[in-house]
Amino acid sequence: MFMRIDRLQIELPTPEEADPNAAAALQELLGGKYGEMSTLSNYLFQSFNFRSKSKLRPFYSLVANITAEELGHVELVSNGVALLNNGPPEEDDTADGGDISGAPYEAMKDVRLAAAFFSNAGGAMPMNSNGASWNMDFVTTTGNVIMDLLHNFHLECGARLHKLRVYETLTDPTGREVCGYLLVRGGVHAHAYALAIKKLTGVAIENMLPVPNINLDKIPESQKYLEEGSHRRLYRFSTDDYKEMAGIWGKGEKALPGDPPGELEVVDGPPDGGKIPELEGAPSAFTPDYAPEEMFEIASKLYKKSR
Amino acid sequence: MFMRIDRLQIELPTPEEADPNAAAALQELLGGKYGEMSTLSNYLFQSFNFRSKSKLRPFYSLVANITAEELGHVELVSNGVALLNNGPPEEDDTADGGDISGAPYEAMKDVRLAAAFFSNAGGAMPMNSNGASWNMDFVTTTGNVIMDLLHNFHLECGARLHKLRVYETLTDPTGREVCGYLLVRGGVHAHAYALAIKKLTGVAIENMLPVPNINLDKIPESQKYLEEGSHRRLYRFSTDDYKEMAGIWGKGEKALPGDPPGELEVVDGPPDGGKIPELEGAPSAFTPDYAPEEMFEIASKLYKKSR
Amino acid sequence: MFMRIDRLQIELPTPEEADPNAAAALQELLGGKYGEMSTLSNYLFQSFNFRSKSKLRPFYSLVANITAEELGHVELVSNGVALLNNGPPEEDDTADGGDISGAPYEAMKDVRLAAAFFSNAGGAMPMNSNGASWNMDFVTTTGNVIMDLLHNFHLECGARLHKLRVYETLTDPTGREVCGYLLVRGGVHAHAYALAIKKLTGVAIENMLPVPNINLDKIPESQKYLEEGSHRRLYRFSTDDYKEMAGIWGKGEKALPGDPPGELEVVDGPPDGGKIPELEGAPSAFTPDYAPEEMFEIASKLYKKSR
Amino acid sequence: MFMRIDRLQIELPTPEEADPNAAAALQELLGGKYGEMSTLSNYLFQSFNFRSKSKLRPFYSLVANITAEELGHVELVSNGVALLNNGPPEEDDTADGGDISGAPYEAMKDVRLAAAFFSNAGGAMPMNSNGASWNMDFVTTTGNVIMDLLHNFHLECGARLHKLRVYETLTDPTGREVCGYLLVRGGVHAHAYALAIKKLTGVAIENMLPVPNINLDKIPESQKYLEEGSHRRLYRFSTDDYKEMAGIWGKGEKALPGDPPGELEVVDGPPDGGKIPELEGAPSAFTPDYAPEEMFEIASKLYKKSR
Amino acid sequence: MFMRIDRLQIELPTPEEADPNAAAALQELLGGKYGEMSTLSNYLFQSFNFRSKSKLRPFYSLVANITAEELGHVELVSNGVALLNNGPPEEDDTADGGDISGAPYEAMKDVRLAAAFFSNAGGAMPMNSNGASWNMDFVTTTGNVIMDLLHNFHLECGARLHKLRVYETLTDPTGREVCGYLLVRGGVHAHAYALAIKKLTGVAIENMLPVPNINLDKIPESQKYLEEGSHRRLYRFSTDDYKEMAGIWGKGEKALPGDPPGELEVVDGPPDGGKIPELEGAPSAFTPDYAPEEMFEIASKLYKKSR
Amino acid sequence: MFMRIDRLQIELPTPEEADPNAAAALQELLGGKYGEMSTLSNYLFQSFNFRSKSKLRPFYSLVANITAEELGHVELVSNGVALLNNGPPEEDDTADGGDISGAPYEAMKDVRLAAAFFSNAGGAMPMNSNGASWNMDFVTTTGNVIMDLLHNFHLECGARLHKLRVYETLTDPTGREVCGYLLVRGGVHAHAYALAIKKLTGVAIENMLPVPNINLDKIPESQKYLEEGSHRRLYRFSTDDYKEMAGIWGKGEKALPGDPPGELEVVDGPPDGGKIPELEGAPSAFTPDYAPEEMFEIASKLYKKSR
């Protein structure tokens, strides 16, 4: 089972302006082959299909727990996409009596993924930066523990490469913050799978890291997370379970050479995180709907009733 | 953010025998158009993309909270699939010195979705009962609250229909239990979205329920859940959040006519649930791997280290 | 614009028994690369996108008119699929008080395309015999008249080959009748496109026919259609339009050598056709719904009101 | 069976200039999840697969008849796409001896859906505004009448939302006219399915309309259709059949509150419609082909022969 | 079996500047329905599945041999795509100590197929100009020799049309050279399949050529290939095999009317070809990787060891 | 460029009987995520897109050369599929006057992938064992050498796992021979990529092999290939090129522990291989066509002309 907390894993800055093509770029990190839908779904289905869970508990716990973090990554990138598509809060003067007949969204027909406006009003979707759907071809769950861990290690390396490239195309602080944070966390996951492989096979595959061969000190947006030691922490996203992963990620294991030094640690519970961004409605795009006042009033009454 | 609990939403009975075609049938409830991947992903992305969250809090909370329950439904069906594919625990005499050259899995080439053995060793995948991948064409997130709620209501009705039909093909208790439980919970979600629509539009759309027109007293496996009142409960899958949905599902609202009577209620926290099933390894299928003893021993040492 | 007539192009025999795998075979002729969805959609979009319609009127008329016949082919194969999936009318004793808890549809989990039961209750869908969706990769509309006609000629040859192979797997009279008729009509379309190509290029491409190299006198179910001269007739599926195609298919042109001799002719209006089959409801599969009496009564009243 | 009339449902204005990105926007209304290919195919396959047709005649007739109108909608949007891609008639001086070596279509490599030029010369295709193919994942045909009608109601609401958003991006009169008309007709279909649901379930679901919550008096291009009462009319696209739908849409039922008042009526026969637009050939793009004179001359002779 | 030669079929000019949208256009010729992946895969699988190879040797040899040439076409277009995406060699000052934090690839978020940068660093992929994947729906292999040859003839005509249109959008010499050469070779293949059809059916289908109706004397980039007689040559891409195709393409057969005259001939062995282009690494895009010097040094040592 | 040799990489035994479900199983090794189409296409596009080829020559040569071997693997599996679908040569008494009206292929409607008969007459296609198409989602080409090599290593491990499982379902010698050989060759490729990674990163990743953890001495069909040393050989599929890969795979490197010992070596030229299987025509399935005698006679004359 899963529980939900109404917080993002980090606080996201407000975008400076709407930039649908930047949002489309960020979609690569959501629904691309090496995006968060892929990391999430690989680990989710691997954890469901895991064999001999009781006998391989530390390995099962590692995969099962990272799954929960990936849900939050999907949430984080999705919020980034929605923010970049919609930009900072704006007055929408077409609401309630305004005139929508003057092609108020003419600009939308020229953005790279125009269907994101027509179908989703700029919301995030499980697709890549070319608009191609995420699908099960991106999921590997073989039941063979070595094969699955090796796959996951390669997946996190691929994810890091794509995050770096997306980062290099973005100027808006919202998208850059998403990348800066996920680069740190993706590094943790690559490191963790490497350690799991080493425990089982003896191959010191973590010595290959980082892939690509660039340290995160080159990425300004990653610094505050490195400083707080995020690269050494595996959050345990569970009240009571998955403690056994500390057998793999824990005492005696060190941060990778290019990162700030220190010992690896399992942290009980999620990070503090940041607030879920408020997406302003755009009545002229029928979100939450044209002439929303009545809707807000109903909600206000129901809210009072719920308390 | 999301947290994880190492429990299923219910206790699943052990299957009587391996039945890959029954597992394939259950896949419809996982990756079909009206399957759990669809309900999960619709609500997940709708919650990310929700407009005017603060002003429409009860509606946002409803969608966001049901998302968390759906994650557990994906988990439940997936475990059902894996159990039905693999059957009850068996001795695998090909491990460690056994002979795999005699086509020990000859039967697998004739099962409906043979790739489920080749690629996934009988694990669950996000695909339907014909092996077609789940994809974003099954996701509706428009930013328009009425449209999204109406979609969700129709989605839950479709899900109920498909669950009934899958149920009618299954004889094994594992698959039937999955259906019996999900029929009750799907009914709750359809009812909840109907109430949300009624609050906003005044249309008493819940009077259309049940769709299809059959009460759950016809389904033996649903009875214990009806008796405990599951059909009147919306679990709040969060420690602190989403309480506002009680403005929609709560005091003053009653169970639907064909179900045991009583008042609707929001229950704080998840159901007790049942244990995660142990999937035995099948060394001859290289799960967790051929000759697993060394692997188990390593895991055992790491487990001790983690305590 | 299009008008509809509540008749099939031919009278279909009632199936002798339900045979979902035969229905699945027939799906190849509906949603396969060379199926009726493909012939329909190629000609439909070619007719929309046709250049210099007024100057190339006979060619435009030919394509536009055959489109209308193909709609009826899609209808014919779809009805064949639904009949074969459902079999002859049967008593369904689970309606109104019956018991559905005994896995009444257990057999459905082992049919080749089980999702056709779960999702469609045995109805037809735009997919091929492996359950793969029809899609736009099967549509060619280039705006180049020679290229499009050449494509269409090849398409009809491919369709004939696939119809012959599907026919060779069927024993039930329903499916065989569908094939027997469509083989004759497909032959007409191949011949018509060949003549169009010959008019424009001088190449007597119709001399290549039939592809494959087998005459329809080998197919018993085709005989009555050959006897009535269907192979020499292009039906004009329009009250007033498309008469210009008679410049291509008409006086002076003869039937192909292996078929009964005679002159080609444009026939004004559709064939007499046969009645639309009645698909019995199966209340236990929730079609039209569980306990249908009330529904029938409402319909009966509305019917009276409509007169 | 289906008949064809060589007329569009309305007269379309000539586009002011070629605007391939506007054409791409309009593709959302053709091949998107809520586009005309979806409405057409849902009703088409539902009508084929309809159970107990004779006992539920008014409902069957409604679905079967609207199918025929949707064919005309697919035609209308497709013509709109082709017009917007190609723009007003122009002299093409590369024909017959002109020079094509100077990259005459350089601009085409930068349009959003460049393959629409390469493959289709600007013709319409069954794809959405991102170039993703329409496919069977967009078709719901369950055999359960309530479920299918509920689906159709939600589908028409979704279609209305997407039409409004596409409209808001277009400045050219051709695309705006397509939207203005289809908004009226889509409203009729949503209303009709609502009434059908109300007859069967008693739920006054039409009170939810319009979704989104905006009346068509805000859309200038819809006015002439509202004035002629199109929003109160269900055209019967058949010479002899489908009269029974008047039991659902007819005497005693009124126009929706926000629209011009009046009684609902079934109109026998199609609307007058407008002429099929002539798409000029572009010899430099090999449509109908390079150096078309000979082709036109052949066609002219065949035309004479056909009279 | 297949052997490889480290040469392109022609020498490609260096591009004048990076033009990702031109590269995207060229992708139509790689992964479009009528692109090189399609011609390759059709002939590849037809050659594997060919029936009665020994009795139909000249036809088998023709298909099997052209397959090998198509591999080189896939290679040629792919190199063209990579060159156009990356442009002429440039200094990359972010390598080794440079700063990548200033969005050095900001321009990439606005190119048509941005995923080509994120995932492939501008490399070629088996997709079309809209980013849609090549797939098996583009493969026809029926086992019927006439049907397959007819399909291949139509395929080469379609390929020629698309090559002409892509050519008309390109200004850079790299892409134009690719088109100029492939137009000549595609003409040879269309002609060859036409002759094969004529031998078997007696239909002089080559008289329909060229499709579209434009001779290659209109394409400056094709002239040098016409002058060397490439349009009359079928290269035998094998040391010892496939000589039997000379029964179809050879003595007594002439070049098509619009091309320079001469007799058709089978040439033993491949064309001289040109050098494989060197794609410069872009360390800032992590190709071959950030800070490549160490990598180059390792390779240099291994190179010496290999000699 | 590529050359072709009319030989398979090994001699395949004739199948004992037609077994379409076994052929369908083998399709997993052709078009599955870890099948030969994937290995081929990954290395093919990586070799096209390789950066700094001249400076990283040993690595480029390794990838480019293995590509050529993979083409032969695609050919080998495809021939295996076609043989298993069609079985040993048989008299087909429906040819030339025989009767095809008695449903001679009734059995085909019940095989797992019936479309393989309808569309391909039992020929191979680029799809997996569930009939899902191979597509570009299975291709990774990032331009980053470490990432691509790591991907390739994981891909070969996955391929080995899937080959083992397919092998375990097959009883016919044809399919088992295909698996037995490819297991040896896949082992070579995994080992080769491991060595390449080790040279660049220092990580002894080959110590992880074999994945899964089973030596090939358990597979009888692999023995003759192990005995001839195939596991120590990298064939150089080129007359003059790719010699530099000997810097990675060559002197000083040893066979993996579980395999027969010896030094690794590059062998110049392809293996001897075996003859291409003759697939008998089945006139009743219209291959090469109904009544093939005339076709054979034409071919015989053309063959004589070619000598």
Side-chain angles (χ1 to χ4, degrees), chain E residues 259-271:
Chain E
D259 291 333
E263 202 160 55
L264 306 187
E265 57 176 337
V266 169
V267 173
D268 289 334

Side-chain angles (χ1 to χ4, degrees), chain A residues 19 21-26 28 32-34 112 128-130 132 161-162 164-171 176 210-215 218-221, chain E residues 96-121 127 130-131 284-287 289-291 294:
Chain A
D19 184 349
N21 285 2
L26 213 53
E28 187 73 16
K33 186 193 215 172
Y34 291 98
R112 281 193 58 245
N128 78 357
S129 63
N130 275 3
L161 174 56
H162 292 158
L164 283 164
R165 288 196 186 135
V166 169
Y167 171 79
E168 292 184 305
T169 70
L170 300 178
T171 53
R176 292 174 68 91
V211 176
N213 183 25
I214 180 174
N215 291 325
K218 303 282 188 190
I219 311 295
E221 287 80 359
Chain E
D96 293 314
D99 181 2
I100 66 159
S101 71
Y105 288 98
E106 186 180 358
M108 285 301 110
K109 84 175 154 53
D110 300 317
V111 301
R112 281 193 57 245
L113 301 179
F117 171 70
F118 299 134
S119 285
N120 314 114
M127 62 183 181
N130 275 2
S284 61
F286 316 105
T287 68
D289 206 346
Y290 194 73
E294 192 189 358

Side-chain angles (χ1 to χ4, degrees), chain C residues 19 21-22 24-26 28 112 128-130 132 161-162 164-171 176 210-215 218-221, chain F residues 97-106 108-121 127 131 284-287 289-291:
Chain C
D19 183 349
N21 284 3
L26 212 53
E28 187 74 16
R112 281 192 58 246
N128 77 358
S129 62
N130 275 1
L161 174 57
H162 292 158
L164 282 163
R165 287 195 187 137
V166 169
Y167 172 79
E168 292 185 306
T169 69
L170 299 178
T171 53
R176 293 172 68 91
V211 176
N213 184 24
I214 180 174
N215 291 326
K218 304 282 189 190
I219 311 295
E221 288 79 359
Chain F
D99 181 3
I100 66 158
S101 71
Y105 288 98
E106 186 180 359
M108 286 300 112
K109 83 175 155 52
D110 299 317
V111 301
R112 281 193 58 246
L113 300 180
F117 171 69
F118 298 135
S119 285
N120 315 114
M127 61 183 182
S284 61
F286 315 105
T287 69
D289 206 345
Y290 194 74

